[in-house]
């Protein structure tokens, strides 16, 4: 019952190509063929339409949905299959509520700094119909309602060597898997780093050892809004052929692709 008969994120033609079948853990558990499972977004559609979600309904995420999301997160690769990623999942209860309240303080501080640093307090950001104005509204809703987010996941890295710039390669693929699995089940989230300013207090509340890195904070829930095509820079701006800054004639955006770059820098006072 529940999502085990629906969440075939790693199965069927949705992830292996049209007309092909493959072993599916959920179908196998139910004694059914993966080809009989209901549709979920195909892999490429999921990748192209998984937006950063910052507005959430208050509905809790059922246990079987959350288990499905976390299972797919743990399918991510890691160096020599060491699998050093661990997930602290905050739902309800006094400890989770206390941790969410501490995180909310950090997120509000992070947003206050970003408003000043990225020009969200002036210009087009004050126009609610502009792209930057919509981003501002979403961010303000996000930080002001953080304590109400149904689920907050803290992906952590159990360090097995000295901290280095490349250690994220063993944890961030799992974070993306988590977001894609949430998208497939009708949920959404966003990967953030605003736990950093309250990390010491957070470690104490959740008994996270010093040798374990808190690599991200991922709020999850049912979107108040929709997923849809994400906008990024054109391929010609970011894909080089053979050497730096050599244009790649074969790197062509699909017809109808819409683009967006990073937000404009703040205007100096």
């Amino acid at each position: 019952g529940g999502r085990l008969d629906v969440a075939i994120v790693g199965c069927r033609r949705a992830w292996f190509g049209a007309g092909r079948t493959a072993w599916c853990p959920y179908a196998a558990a139910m004694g059914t063929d993966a080809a009989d499972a209901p549709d979920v977004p195909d892999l490429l559609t999921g990748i192209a339409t998984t937006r950063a979600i910052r507005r959430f309904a208050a509905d809790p995420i059922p246990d079987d949905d959350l288990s499905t999301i976390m299972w797919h997160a743990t399918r991510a690769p890691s160096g020599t299959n060491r699998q050093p990623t661990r997930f602290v999942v905050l739902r309800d209860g006094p400890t989770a509520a206390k941790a969410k309240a501490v995180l909310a303080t950090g997120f509000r501080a992070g947003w206050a700094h970003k408003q000043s640093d990225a020009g969200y307090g002036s210009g087009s950001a004050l126009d609610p119909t502009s792209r930057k104005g919509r981003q501002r509204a979403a961010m303000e809703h996000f930080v002001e309602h953080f304590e109400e987010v149904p689920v907050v996941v803290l992906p952590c890295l159990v360090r097995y060597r000295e901290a280095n710039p490349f250690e994220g390669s063993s944890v961030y693929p799992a974070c993306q898997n988590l977001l894609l699995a949430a998208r497939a089940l009708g949920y959404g989230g966003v990967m953030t780093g605003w736990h950093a300013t309250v990390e010491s207090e957070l470690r104490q509340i959740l008994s996270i050892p010093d040798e374990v890195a808190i690599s991200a904070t991922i709020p999850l829930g049912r979107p108040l809004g929709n997923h849809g095509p994400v906008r990024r820079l054109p391929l010609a701006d970011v894909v080089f052929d053979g050497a730096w800054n050599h244009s790649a004639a074969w790197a062509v955006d699909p017809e109808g692709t819409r683009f967006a770059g990073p937000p404009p820098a703040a205007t100096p006072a």
Side-chain angles (χ1 to χ4, degrees):
R3 281 291 183 176
L4 288 185
D5 57 353
V6 176
I8 317 299
V9 182
C11 313
R12 287 188 64 206
R13 60 189 182 86
W15 289 78
F16 291 92
R20 298 176 63 187
T21 59
W23 174 81
C24 170
Y26 297 112
M30 296 182 295
T32 60
D33 190 277
D36 296 327
D39 283 332
V40 295
D42 67 84
L43 176 59
L44 297 183
T45 297
I47 291 172
T49 61
T50 298
R51 290 177 172 171
I53 299 297
R54 297 184 178 89
R55 299 174 185 260
F56 304 98
D59 310 347
I61 300 178
D63 289 358
D64 49 0
D65 282 8
L66 191 54
S67 178
T68 297
I69 291 168
M70 300 313 302
W71 189 90
H72 286 88
T74 63
R75 302 308 94 183
S78 59
T80 63
N81 202 28
R82 193 180 291 269
Q83 303 176 64
T85 306
R86 302 292 183 269
F87 302 90
V88 179
V89 182
L90 306 176
R91 304 175 72 188
D92 47 24
T95 300
K98 187 174 181 180
K100 286 182 184 181
V102 168
L103 282 165
T105 299
F107 274 58
R108 287 165 192 149
W111 170 235
H113 177 76
K114 187 176 181 70
Q115 282 190 85
S116 173
D117 186 58
Y120 279 95
S122 60
S124 64
L126 302 180
D127 177 2
T129 65
S130 70
R131 181 168 70 97
K132 198 165 184 178
R134 292 191 298 272
Q135 290 172 341
R136 173 184 169 138
M139 290 298 301
E140 289 181 343
H141 184 278
F142 179 47
V143 300
E144 290 305 319
H145 295 269
F146 191 89
E147 294 94 332
E148 302 164 24
V149 175
V151 173
V152 177
V153 180
L154 301 176
C156 298
L157 176 70
V158 180
R159 286 195 170 111
Y160 52 92
R161 57 188 174 191
E162 291 297 314
N164 66 83
F166 310 106
E167 65 183 5
S169 63
S170 288
V171 62
Y172 294 129
C175 295
Q176 182 66 2
N177 271 19
L178 187 155
L179 291 169
L180 289 170
R183 160 75 177 92
L185 297 188
Y187 300 101
V190 60
M191 188 169 71
T192 74
W194 280 347
H195 62 273
T197 58
V198 294
E199 183 170 321
S200 295
E201 191 173 356
L202 196 61
R203 285 181 179 276
Q204 185 175 7
I205 294 169
L206 300 174
S207 302
I208 299 175
D210 290 341
E211 65 272 17
V212 174
I214 305 176
S215 301
T217 300
I218 304 179
L220 289 176
R222 187 76 66 185
L224 290 177
N226 299 295
H227 283 287
V230 297
R231 302 185 188 186
R232 299 292 185 259
L233 292 167
L235 282 181
D237 291 0
V238 298
V239 177
F240 305 140
D241 192 7
W244 183 262
N245 227 18
H246 287 206
S247 62
W250 46 265
V252 179
D253 297 285
E255 185 177 353
T257 300
R258 301 177 70 182
F259 306 107
T267 304

